Amino acid sequence: MAVRIAQCTIDVEDLDLMVSFWSAALGYEIERGDDGSAKLWPPGQPSASSPSFWLQGSGTAKRGKNRLHLDLVADGDPQAEVRRLVGLGARHVDVGQSGTEQFTVLADPEGNEFCVLDSAPTR
């Protein structure tokens, strides 16, 4: 038996800011909860390749480096996607890269690190 990723949850301090960023970044639809949270749904049905996202209001700022992060892959030119994400509010961050990586490290508006891969992972 195995499990699969059904949803990614991000604790957020500013729900409106993070809903705006992540829904635009991923092209997901927004469903706001009455409890200070929001669900972001992929077009069509959620799947292992397109899980839903739950932005959970935490009321606290992020502290320290993420222990788990998202690796995203673009449909087209990854550097064009990096520029688009920066335009949405992401920023470049240094977590010790050497400069030869096959990915770009960014942080969302609240500092949660994520990567944009140059290509999808393969075996």
Side-chain angles (χ1 to χ4, degrees):
M1 179 145 295
V3 296
R4 64 180 178 81
I5 297 171
Q7 175 173 276
C8 295
T9 301
I10 303 173
D11 288 344
V12 302
E13 183 175 17
D14 184 333
L15 183 66
D16 292 334
L17 175 68
M18 297 298 278
V19 163
S20 177
F21 175 79
W22 281 109
S23 64
L26 299 171
Y28 278 27
E29 299 170 12
I30 302 163
E31 180 183 317
R32 289 191 177 266
D34 294 333
D35 59 355
S37 70
K39 189 82 117 173
L40 302 181
W41 297 101
Q45 289 293 339
S47 68
S49 62
S50 297
S52 61
F53 275 69
W54 184 34
L55 302 181
Q56 176 178 270
S58 69
T60 60
K62 176 189 173 286
R63 293 182 200 102
K65 183 182 178 302
N66 295 8
R67 296 286 304 250
L68 176 70
H69 68 266
L70 301 173
D71 285 340
L72 307 178
V73 65
D75 290 335
D77 175 23
Q79 290 310 305
E81 187 60 20
V82 166
R83 290 188 297 275
R84 184 183 79 85
L85 292 167
V86 168
L88 291 173
R91 60 183 167 77
H92 290 269
V93 293
D94 182 356
V95 294
Q97 304 92 299
S98 67
T100 60
E101 292 80 11
Q102 304 267 316
F103 55 85
T104 302
V105 182
L106 299 174
D108 70 17
E110 287 193 353
N112 299 297
E113 297 94 359
F114 65 96
C115 296
V116 177
L117 306 178
D118 290 350
S119 60
T122 59
R123 282 190 151 190

Coordinates of all heavy atoms in Angstrom, one line a residue, residues 69-72 78-79 81-83 85-86 91-93 95 97 101-107 113-118:
H69 N 9.6 21.9 0.8 CA 9.3 23.0 -0.2 C 8.7 22.4 -1.5 O 8.8 21.2 -1.7 CB 10.5 23.9 -0.4 CG 11.6 23.2 -1.2 ND1 12.6 22.7 -0.7 CD2 11.7 23.1 -2.6 CE1 13.4 22.2 -1.6 NE2 12.9 22.4 -2.8
L70 N 8.1 23.2 -2.2 CA 7.5 22.8 -3.5 C 8.6 23.0 -4.6 O 9.4 23.9 -4.6 CB 6.4 23.8 -3.9 CG 5.2 23.8 -2.9 CD1 4.2 24.9 -3.3 CD2 4.5 22.4 -2.8
D71 N 8.6 22.0 -5.5 CA 9.4 22.1 -6.8 C 8.3 22.2 -7.9 O 7.5 21.3 -8.1 CB 10.2 20.9 -7.0 CG 11.5 20.9 -6.1 OD1 11.8 21.9 -5.6 OD2 12.0 19.8 -5.9
L72 N 8.3 23.3 -8.6 CA 7.4 23.6 -9.6 C 8.1 23.5 -11.0 O 9.3 23.7 -11.1 CB 6.8 25.0 -9.5 CG 6.2 25.4 -8.1 CD1 5.8 26.8 -8.2 CD2 5.1 24.5 -7.8
P78 N 11.3 28.0 -18.4 CA 11.4 28.2 -17.0 C 11.8 29.6 -16.5 O 11.3 30.1 -15.5 CB 12.3 27.1 -16.5 CG 13.0 26.5 -17.7 CD 12.2 27.0 -18.9
Q79 N 12.7 30.2 -17.3 CA 13.2 31.5 -16.9 C 12.1 32.6 -17.1 O 12.0 33.6 -16.3 CB 14.5 31.9 -17.5 CG 15.7 31.1 -17.0 CD 15.7 31.1 -15.5 OE1 15.8 32.1 -14.8 NE2 15.7 29.9 -14.9
E81 N 9.0 31.9 -16.7 CA 8.1 31.6 -15.6 C 8.7 32.2 -14.3 O 7.9 32.8 -13.5 CB 7.9 30.1 -15.4 CG 6.8 29.8 -14.3 CD 5.5 30.3 -14.6 OE1 5.2 30.7 -15.8 OE2 4.7 30.5 -13.7
V82 N 10.0 32.2 -14.1 CA 10.6 32.8 -12.9 C 10.3 34.3 -13.0 O 9.9 34.9 -12.0 CB 12.1 32.5 -12.9 CG1 12.8 33.5 -11.9 CG2 12.4 31.1 -12.5
R83 N 10.5 34.9 -14.1 CA 10.2 36.4 -14.2 C 8.7 36.7 -13.9 O 8.4 37.7 -13.3 CB 10.6 36.9 -15.6 CG 12.1 36.9 -15.9 CD 12.5 37.6 -17.2 NE 12.0 36.9 -18.4 CZ 12.6 35.9 -19.0 NH1 13.7 35.4 -18.5 NH2 12.1 35.4 -20.1
L85 N 6.7 34.9 -12.0 CA 6.5 34.8 -10.6 C 7.0 35.9 -9.7 O 6.4 36.4 -8.8 CB 7.1 33.4 -10.1 CG 6.3 32.2 -10.6 CD1 7.2 30.9 -10.4 CD2 4.9 32.1 -10.1
V86 N 8.2 36.4 -10.2 CA 8.8 37.6 -9.5 C 7.8 38.8 -9.7 O 7.6 39.6 -8.8 CB 10.2 37.9 -10.0 CG1 10.7 39.2 -9.6 CG2 11.2 36.7 -9.5
R91 N 10.4 36.4 -4.8 CA 11.7 37.0 -4.8 C 12.8 35.9 -4.9 O 12.5 34.8 -4.4 CB 12.0 38.0 -3.7 CG 11.9 37.3 -2.3 CD 12.0 38.3 -1.2 NE 11.6 37.8 0.1 CZ 12.4 36.9 0.8 NH1 13.6 36.6 0.4 NH2 12.0 36.5 1.9
H92 N 13.9 36.2 -5.4 CA 15.0 35.3 -5.5 C 15.6 35.2 -4.1 O 15.7 36.2 -3.3 CB 16.1 35.8 -6.4 CG 15.7 35.7 -7.9 ND1 16.0 34.6 -8.6 CD2 15.1 36.6 -8.6 CE1 15.5 34.8 -9.9 NE2 15.0 36.0 -9.9
V93 N 16.0 34.0 -3.6 CA 16.6 33.8 -2.3 C 17.8 32.8 -2.5 O 17.9 32.0 -3.4 CB 15.6 33.2 -1.3 CG1 14.5 34.1 -0.9 CG2 15.0 31.9 -1.7
V95 N 19.8 30.0 -0.7 CA 19.8 29.0 0.3 C 21.1 28.1 0.2 O 21.2 27.0 0.7 CB 18.6 28.1 0.3 CG1 17.3 28.9 0.6 CG2 18.5 27.4 -1.1
Q97 N 23.0 27.9 -2.9 CA 23.2 27.4 -4.3 C 24.6 27.7 -4.8 O 25.2 28.7 -4.4 CB 22.2 28.1 -5.3 CG 20.7 28.0 -5.0 CD 20.2 29.2 -4.2 OE1 20.6 29.4 -3.1 NE2 19.2 29.9 -4.8
E101 N 23.0 24.8 -10.5 CA 21.8 24.0 -10.3 C 20.9 24.1 -11.5 O 20.9 25.0 -12.3 CB 21.0 24.5 -9.1 CG 21.6 24.3 -7.8 CD 22.7 25.3 -7.4 OE1 22.8 26.4 -8.1 OE2 23.4 25.1 -6.5
Q102 N 20.0 23.1 -11.6 CA 19.0 23.0 -12.7 C 17.7 23.5 -12.2 O 16.6 23.0 -12.6 CB 18.9 21.6 -13.2 CG 20.2 21.0 -13.6 CD 20.5 21.1 -15.1 OE1 19.6 20.9 -15.9 NE2 21.6 21.5 -15.5
F103 N 17.7 24.5 -11.3 CA 16.5 25.1 -10.8 C 16.8 26.5 -10.3 O 18.0 26.9 -10.1 CB 15.9 24.3 -9.6 CG 16.9 24.0 -8.5 CD1 17.1 24.9 -7.5 CD2 17.7 22.8 -8.5 CE1 18.1 24.6 -6.5 CE2 18.6 22.5 -7.5 CZ 18.8 23.4 -6.5
T104 N 15.8 27.3 -10.0 CA 15.9 28.6 -9.5 C 15.1 28.6 -8.1 O 14.0 28.2 -8.1 CB 15.3 29.7 -10.4 OG1 16.0 29.6 -11.7 CG2 15.4 31.1 -9.8
V105 N 15.7 29.1 -7.1 CA 15.1 29.2 -5.8 C 14.4 30.6 -5.6 O 15.1 31.6 -5.8 CB 16.1 29.0 -4.6 CG1 15.4 29.0 -3.3 CG2 16.9 27.7 -4.8
L106 N 13.2 30.5 -5.3 CA 12.4 31.7 -5.0 C 11.7 31.6 -3.7 O 11.7 30.5 -3.1 CB 11.3 31.9 -6.1 CG 11.8 32.1 -7.6 CD1 10.6 32.1 -8.5 CD2 12.6 33.3 -7.7
A107 N 11.1 32.7 -3.2 CA 10.3 32.7 -2.0 C 9.0 33.4 -2.3 O 9.0 34.4 -3.1 CB 11.0 33.4 -0.8
E113 N 10.1 29.3 0.8 CA 10.9 28.9 -0.4 C 10.3 27.9 -1.3 O 9.6 27.0 -0.8 CB 12.3 28.4 0.1 CG 13.1 29.4 0.9 CD 13.0 29.2 2.4 OE1 12.2 28.4 2.8 OE2 13.7 30.0 3.1
F114 N 10.5 28.0 -2.6 CA 10.1 27.0 -3.5 C 11.0 27.1 -4.7 O 11.8 28.1 -4.8 CB 8.6 27.2 -4.0 CG 8.3 28.5 -4.7 CD1 8.3 28.5 -6.1 CD2 8.0 29.7 -4.0 CE1 8.0 29.7 -6.8 CE2 7.8 30.8 -4.7 CZ 7.7 30.9 -6.1
C115 N 11.1 26.1 -5.5 CA 12.0 26.1 -6.7 C 11.2 26.0 -8.0 O 10.1 25.4 -8.0 CB 12.9 24.9 -6.6 SG 14.0 24.9 -5.2
V116 N 11.7 26.6 -9.0 CA 11.2 26.4 -10.4 C 12.3 25.6 -11.1 O 13.4 26.0 -11.2 CB 11.0 27.8 -11.1 CG1 10.5 27.5 -12.5 CG2 10.0 28.6 -10.4
L117 N 11.9 24.4 -11.4 CA 12.9 23.4 -12.1 C 13.1 23.8 -13.5 O 12.1 24.3 -14.2 CB 12.4 22.0 -12.0 CG 12.0 21.5 -10.6 CD1 11.4 20.1 -10.7 CD2 13.2 21.6 -9.7
D118 N 14.3 23.5 -14.1 CA 14.5 23.8 -15.5 C 13.8 22.8 -16.4 O 13.4 23.1 -17.5 CB 16.0 23.7 -15.8 CG 16.8 24.8 -15.2 OD1 16.2 25.8 -14.8 OD2 18.0 24.8 -15.3

